[in-house]
Amino acid sequence: MIQTAAKDTCFSPRQTLCCPGGRLLDLRQPQVMGILNLTPDSFFADSRVASQANHTDLLRRAEAMLKAGAAVLDLGAYSSRPGAEDISATEEQHRLLPALVALRETFPEAIISVDTFRASVADEAVAAGADIINDISGGTLDETMFATVGRLRVPYILMHMRGTPQTMTQHTDYAADIVVELVRYFRDKLAALRDAGVVDVVLDPGFGFAKTPAQSHELLRRLEELQVLGLPVLAGLSRKGLVYKPLGLTAEEALPGTIALNTVALLNGAKLLRVHDVAEAVQAVRLVSATYASLTP
């Protein structure tokens, strides 16, 4: 188990993210991020937002999520499910930018995260109104991402993954203890982010990304050990294979299991839940916070 970390390799504890326009996302108490997929092939069909010129479906879902208590809306235009089709940066921007503009114009006070591993897409997204960059590759698929985020001065979600969405299922062999490996990975990435001028960082262990269900469950059980790095942790468990495969179910049947594992994540220190079902996740946060006063400021 992880007990300590070298002081000079970690960021100072920072639980409040400074977004463009001076808006703050306070993660001292757990918050919920709602998933909006602009992709035709995301693994959970109900998360896909229909492509429309007027973005009616997107705006309707976003409004429902915000009313249900979502603190962040996470907009993605590149499917990262295992074996998903690769698309060009041009196609990703074509899907993403008009929807992002519509979302920003309709909900000017909302905090919007963009799920992309491409620096060029991140650059255009922030110009169009994005507040946070959520990078599944932790900068490994675009070596210019860290410098771009540092220049843009926006919060960054740093995820652990091996390979690409097309190959990650082939990279589940870990020579070392999986949590030790993640701490080392984050430590090195954080040093590079600091050098690039990135200030606000959230850690995402990448459940299901280059990890078997058993590895993801071990990581969830030991999630609290990532707190040695002094940064808020995001848990993205919603309807993934580690939820439904052990139960012999499908993603469509995985809401109760998702709630159960989100609760485990909260008890083990997660400060941000990335979910398809916002209302249910917000209820879990409120009840866990009410029961365990230590999770509240």
Side-chain angles (χ1 to χ4, degrees):
M1 295 180 67
I2 304 298
Q3 300 295 337
T4 61
K7 187 175 181 180
D8 62 354
T9 61
C10 301
F11 277 22
S12 298
R14 191 179 183 96
Q15 302 294 331
T16 302
L17 308 184
C18 185
C19 299
R23 286 168 300 145
L24 299 177
L25 177 61
D26 189 349
L27 296 179
R28 289 175 297 174
Q29 180 167 323
Q31 302 291 345
V32 172
M33 168 189 282
I35 300 169
L36 294 167
N37 284 321
L38 302 166
T39 53
D41 58 344
S42 297
F43 78 91
F44 179 47
D46 284 354
S47 72
R48 304 170 196 164
V49 180
S51 178
Q52 301 165 310
N54 60 3
H55 305 292
T56 302
D57 190 26
L58 169 70
L59 299 177
R60 177 183 57 80
R61 292 201 194 190
E63 182 178 26
M65 287 180 172
L66 292 170
K67 286 183 176 179
V72 183
L73 300 174
D74 191 47
L75 195 62
Y78 184 106
S79 178
S80 58
R81 65 173 175 80
E85 179 185 357
D86 188 27
I87 64 170
S88 68
T90 300
E91 175 61 22
E92 186 180 358
Q93 290 183 20
H94 175 73
R95 294 177 181 178
L96 175 71
L97 296 179
L100 175 58
V101 169
L103 204 58
R104 173 52 68 216
E105 290 178 347
T106 307
F107 306 106
E109 299 304 315
I111 294 178
I112 303 172
S113 168
V114 164
D115 184 351
T116 185
F117 58 81
R118 292 175 167 133
S120 61
V121 176
D123 212 341
E124 294 292 334
V126 172
D131 301 294
I132 299 170
I133 298 301
N134 180 11
D135 179 4
I136 63 167
S137 82
T140 60
L141 297 181
D142 189 335
E143 62 182 12
T144 66
M145 178 62 91
F146 287 4
T148 298
V149 175
R151 173 173 51 81
L152 294 172
R153 301 190 67 79
V154 294
Y156 178 71
I157 299 174
L158 169 66
M159 200 185 89
H160 174 272
M161 181 179 72
R162 290 168 154 188
T164 69
Q166 293 74 38
T167 67
M168 61 184 176
T169 58
Q170 304 167 29
H171 298 281
T172 58
D173 292 332
Y174 292 84
D177 179 296
I178 190 170
V179 179
V180 171
E181 182 155 334
L182 260 67
V183 169
R184 290 171 178 166
Y185 167 91
F186 285 134
R187 177 198 61 196
D188 294 343
K189 293 288 187 178
L190 289 170
L193 284 164
R194 180 173 53 203
D195 290 343
V198 180
V199 175
D200 293 324
V201 181
V202 175
L203 306 179
D204 180 352
F207 292 107
F209 285 80
K211 301 168 189 73
T212 65
Q215 289 167 338
S216 290
H217 280 280
E218 178 181 0
L219 186 54
L220 178 60
R221 184 174 66 252
R222 298 173 58 192
L223 193 64
E224 191 172 9
E225 294 178 46
L226 295 182
Q227 293 182 17
V228 71
L229 294 161
L231 293 172
V233 173
L234 178 152
L237 300 157
S238 186
R239 296 182 181 267
K240 287 183 176 179
L242 76 151
V243 180
Y244 65 82
K245 287 181 180 179
L247 300 174
L249 302 174
T250 65
E252 287 69 29
E253 301 170 293
L255 177 56
T258 295
I259 297 170
L261 294 193
N262 278 339
T263 301
V264 174
L266 291 168
L267 292 174
N268 288 339
K271 293 298 185 179
L272 191 59
L273 300 179
R274 183 177 182 272
V275 302
H276 301 94
D277 309 280
V278 169
E280 291 83 352
V282 168
Q283 289 177 19
V285 167
R286 290 176 177 171
L287 288 174
V288 171
S289 297
T291 304
Y292 293 88
S294 62
L295 297 184
T296 62

